[in-house]
Amino acid sequence: MADQKGLLMLENFIAGKFVPASSHLDSFDPSTGEVYCRVPDSGPKEVEAAVLAAKDAFPAWSSKSPQERAQILNKLADLLEQSLEDFAQAESRDQAGLISPWNLPLYLLTWKIAPAIAVGNTVIAKPSEMTSVTAWMLCKLLNKAGVPAGVVNVVFGRGPKAGEALVSHPEVPLISFTGSTLTAERIMQQSAPYCKKLSLELGGKNPAIVFEDANLDECIATTVRSSFANQGEICLCTSRIFVQRSIYQDFLKRFVDATKQWKVGSPSDPAASVGALISKEHLQKVRNYVQKAQDGGAQILCGEGVDTLNLPVRNQKGYFMLPTVIADIKDESPCMQEEIFGPVTCVVAFDTEEEVIQRANSVKYGLAATVWSSHVGRVHRVAKRLQSGLVWANCWLIRELNLPFGGMKASGIGREGAKDSYEFFTEVKTITIKH
Ligand code: NAD
């Protein structure tokens, strides 16, 4: 459906049908700053209709055999695979409520929907209002794959309106949420009167620890990637790099040189490795962090405010920012404590193993960490003591999807998936060592 200006107008997907919305929000193309589609601005009424559809579909869907459900899911997976090109072009037990963020929008949404419906739940999903198109495209495939009406319902809209209506609906007993820690606090408050079961996958302030015996060639290439991949807008991205003092200056120089090789540009530029940030507001927030660091006496070694950003005319109103490296910064400063979620990383020196463990743990988050050392005993010693759901050694983002995933402290709750395979699931961390 398109509006008078020819802009794509999304519709909610309820009980297997696309339902036109009565009001819409603008959704912006981050690479140009222009409106490129309009998203339903749903609220309690639309959520109510989706809950009814999910309730109606539940008895038949939950009584299907696992094999029958698997057949339908496999068909959906095949259809998704066949449509991958279309998705790439679009860029960027019970009624379970699924709320997902704007980064990795299709990946994180399907990661919630697939296991939930595989075991017989019916769901209401609320994707981020900033990245709704891929979820809407997925809805088209659900009917084709034979997913019965009402098993997956998608209600688009803003968090405080559509999201809260879902969280506070008495007949939605489980909320699976991926997003910021601040929103999770609100969700915990809103769902408390109903004692809802919550799964929360939240923010991070992920350290990389580089010991003097690390393979620096591999470490620098990987740590530039772990800091700036997807513009730093991955919850697992590195944002604090602790380097042993004996190699600190050498590391810093090589790291900054390697960072400068990363070209910022439009999604259609094959040479570009860094794209636009999600929104104008988010870009401003990330820039403010760099400014705060500078005001506090830190050094900006490259990127924001130091180098010049060259963009094609078409992209000059886009939300782009250069990858930025900060040094000489105090552990207590906001850039070292708070999640920035942009292309900004801080590099600091440390002296001893004991000291770096304490400093790496001295934030409220505990999602992911990386240890770089060729001493396997040290890797195990340090990884064990890091307050982090995931620890990579001499690598980053190598994933085995059967292993438990999730954070400690303010990075999340609900790692029950690990319960079956581990006795003390809250103590489990996933350590991946590259040999
Ligand atoms: P966000 O918390 O602003 O929004 C996430 C989702 O929650 C969106 O769909 C939003 O509309 C909705 N929402 C907002 N307010 C709500 C409310 N009051 N009630 C119900 N729903 C509400 O997060 P974001 O900016 O979209 O995403 C970035 C954050 O997500 C970062 O903090 C990042 O670290 C985190 N994240 C974590 C993981 C992980 O697996 N740990 C993965 C990806 C992103």
Side-chain angles (χ1 to χ4, degrees), residues 71-276:
Q71 238 174 18
I72 295 174
L73 273 163
N74 279 330
K75 175 90 189 330
L76 181 60
D78 289 344
L79 287 170
L80 256 175
E81 214 160 357
Q82 286 158 21
S83 319
L84 273 185
E85 192 145 320
D86 296 343
F87 279 94
Q89 277 166 8
E91 273 152 74
S92 106
R93 270 189 197 269
D94 233 314
Q95 290 79 245
L98 313 176
I99 303 179
S100 54
W102 47 260
N103 72 319
L104 316 174
L106 183 67
Y107 169 78
L108 289 173
L109 186 68
T110 50
W111 212 18
K112 288 189 186 301
I113 292 177
I117 66 171
V119 295
N121 296 300
T122 55
V123 302
I124 303 111
K126 208 296 286 169
S128 169
E129 58 275 35
M130 287 186 267
T131 51
S132 296
V133 174
T134 47
W136 177 76
M137 291 168 76
L138 176 70
C139 296
K140 294 187 184 178
L141 301 183
L142 294 171
N143 287 345
K144 260 194 183 172
V147 177
V151 171
V152 177
N153 305 276
V154 182
V155 176
F156 297 99
R158 288 175 290 140
K161 195 172 161 193
E164 282 207 20
L166 189 55
V167 168
S168 54
H169 196 293
E171 294 194 75
V172 178
L174 182 151
I175 299 291
S176 168
F177 170 77
T178 302
S180 64
T181 303
L182 198 64
T183 305
E185 282 174 28
R186 176 83 185 148
I187 288 176
M188 284 191 267
Q189 287 162 0
Q190 294 283 304
S191 59
Y194 310 97
C195 290
K196 293 194 182 193
K197 191 170 179 191
L198 297 178
S199 161
L200 305 175
E201 297 290 355
L202 313 177
K205 190 69 198 167
N206 311 312
I209 301 175
V210 185
F211 286 97
E212 59 193 359
D213 58 356
N215 174 337
L216 273 199
D217 290 340
E218 268 196 43
C219 169
I220 287 169
T222 305
T223 310
V224 170
R225 198 163 55 83
S226 73
S227 300
F228 304 120
N230 214 40
Q231 307 76 243
E233 293 175 328
I234 304 178
C235 55
L236 303 168
C237 272
T238 304
S239 57
R240 296 177 295 150
I241 308 174
F242 294 92
V243 184
Q244 202 150 22
R245 199 171 302 280
S246 52
I247 57 164
Y248 180 69
Q249 290 305 336
D250 182 30
F251 178 96
L252 210 51
K253 183 179 176 322
R254 291 172 62 183
F255 187 78
V256 169
D257 289 347
T259 300
K260 286 182 172 175
Q261 302 302 312
W262 276 45
K263 185 178 172 202
V264 176
S266 94
S268 56
D269 178 354
S273 323
V274 181

Side-chain angles (χ1 to χ4, degrees), residues 5-57:
K5 292 184 194 157
L7 283 178
L8 178 65
M9 302 259 282
L10 306 192
E11 295 157 316
N12 289 322
F13 184 74
I14 298 173
K17 292 196 180 75
F18 285 99
V19 185
S22 49
S23 59
H24 289 86
L25 308 161
D26 287 339
S27 189
F28 294 86
D29 175 346
S31 72
T32 60
E34 288 164 10
V35 178
Y36 86 109
C37 84
R38 312 204 67 217
V39 176
D41 186 13
S42 313
K45 194 172 106 218
E46 290 80 3
V47 167
E48 184 62 37
V51 173
L52 280 180
K55 264 181 81 175
D56 281 355

